[in-house]
Amino acid sequence: MADSSFDIVSKVERQEVDNALNQAAKEISQRYDFKGVDASIAWSGEKIEMRANSEEKVKAVLDIFQSKLVKRGISLKSLDAGEPQASGKEYKIFASVEEGISQENAKKVAKIIRDEGPKGVKAQVQGDELRVTSKSRDDLQSVQQLLKGKDLDFAIQFVNYR
């Protein structure tokens, strides 16, 4: 019998991020506490730019955006938001959406699987993803449960389960 496998990836659906951003922008434009503070959120190239006239308001914009991401099923671990920066009379926060598993994070996950996973399970790095193979599907499922239980500092998804 052939080996079963699945891939561990860190991908974010760009359309879902876009939808969350549009929902946040709509809420900001309609909320009473944002009247007259020039608060906004929009794409700025590959980054998301949030602006308001005070540090508290720009943090509130970030909070609204994060709540919209969570409602759309996007992990906050994939959002890399910077600190508020003063720019003239307004404050800005730039955030980016992280995708792909870096080499050192892939090595960490492979080490966890090697050390704590069932015997006979192999993990190999393939670009920005990780392929996990085993003869037993039950072992693969136990690896998924193991990784879900770990508090990794990046978002992971399991795809191509076969």
Side-chain angles (χ1 to χ4, degrees):
M1 183 169 149
D3 286 358
S4 300
S5 69
F6 68 88
D7 294 336
I8 301 172
V9 296
S10 181
K11 294 202 183 324
V12 176
E13 190 71 38
R14 170 87 180 201
Q15 186 61 50
E16 289 296 322
V17 175
D18 214 27
N19 291 343
L21 186 129
N22 291 334
Q23 287 177 340
K26 185 175 182 183
E27 182 173 326
I28 290 163
S29 70
Q30 293 176 346
R31 266 183 42 176
Y32 178 76
D33 56 339
F34 283 110
K35 292 283 185 244
V37 296
D38 292 334
S40 67
I41 181 170
W43 285 103
S44 172
E46 284 297 306
K47 291 190 178 290
I48 298 162
E49 180 182 10
M50 294 158 262
R51 21 169 101 209
N53 65 1
S54 75
E55 193 170 341
E56 294 79 32
K57 291 294 183 190
V58 80
K59 284 183 178 177
V61 170
L62 176 62
D63 192 46
I64 290 169
F65 181 55
Q66 288 175 333
S67 71
K68 298 300 180 191
L69 286 174
V70 168
K71 282 183 183 171
R72 301 203 71 85
I74 298 171
S75 172
L76 293 181
K77 291 178 181 177
S78 60
L79 182 72
D80 182 27
E83 290 299 311
Q85 302 167 342
S87 170
K89 290 185 176 180
E90 63 183 9
Y91 285 83
K92 295 180 183 179
I93 294 179
F94 288 99
S96 61
V97 179
E98 302 292 318
E99 285 194 303
I101 301 175
S102 68
Q103 287 293 323
E104 61 265 9
N105 286 339
K107 287 178 184 173
K108 276 188 218 168
V109 173
K111 184 170 174 26
I112 291 170
I113 293 169
R114 215 176 25 252
D115 295 347
E116 302 175 34
K119 296 287 178 239
V121 176
K122 295 182 189 72
Q124 70 186 98
V125 179
Q126 295 181 332
D128 62 352
E129 55 186 50
L130 201 69
R131 165 119 343 132
V132 180
T133 57
S134 173
K135 295 214 181 297
S136 163
R137 287 179 170 242
D138 292 341
D139 287 350
L140 292 179
Q141 289 177 340
S142 65
V143 166
Q144 287 182 353
Q145 292 306 317
L146 169 74
L147 292 175
K148 284 179 186 173
K150 294 287 179 192
D151 187 27
L152 301 170
D153 54 351
F154 55 97
I156 59 171
Q157 295 88 32
F158 307 110
V159 296
N160 293 343
Y161 190 77
R162 40 179 103 117

